Amino acid sequence: MTQPPFATLSTALAALGIALGAFAVQLRADGYEQYVESVATASVVMLTTAGLTVVTWVRHRRQLNSD
C-alpha cells in the first residue's frame, strides 16, 4: 500500500492560500474592493483545507503505527 501524498497536497493548498491572500491585499491596494472579500474567503478556505489535510495526515500515521 502506498502512502497518500498528504505532504504534497497540504503544501500546494497552503501555497495557494498564501498566493490568494497576497492577491487580496493587492486588489485592495489597487482599489478593487468588490473582489477582496471573495478572494480573501477563498484564501481562508485553502489555508483551512491545508490544515485539515495535515490533521488527516497525522491521524493516518497514528493509525498505521497502531496496527
Side-chain angles (χ1 to χ4, degrees):
M1 185 168 141
T2 63
Q3 177 73 13
F6 290 119
T8 305
L9 179 61
S10 62
T11 302
L13 287 168
L16 180 59
I18 291 169
L20 285 171
F23 185 51
V25 169
Q26 187 63 43
L27 285 173
R28 183 175 301 258
D30 290 343
Y32 291 102
E33 290 290 327
Q34 67 269 27
Y35 302 112
V36 171
E37 184 178 352
S38 297
V39 175
T41 300
S43 172
V44 170
V45 168
M46 289 301 114
L47 291 170
T48 303
T49 305
L52 291 173
T53 303
V54 170
V55 169
T56 303
W57 185 11
V58 169
R59 291 182 61 138
H60 180 73
R61 291 187 71 192
R62 284 186 184 168
Q63 182 183 10
L64 289 178
N65 289 338
S66 67
D67 289 341

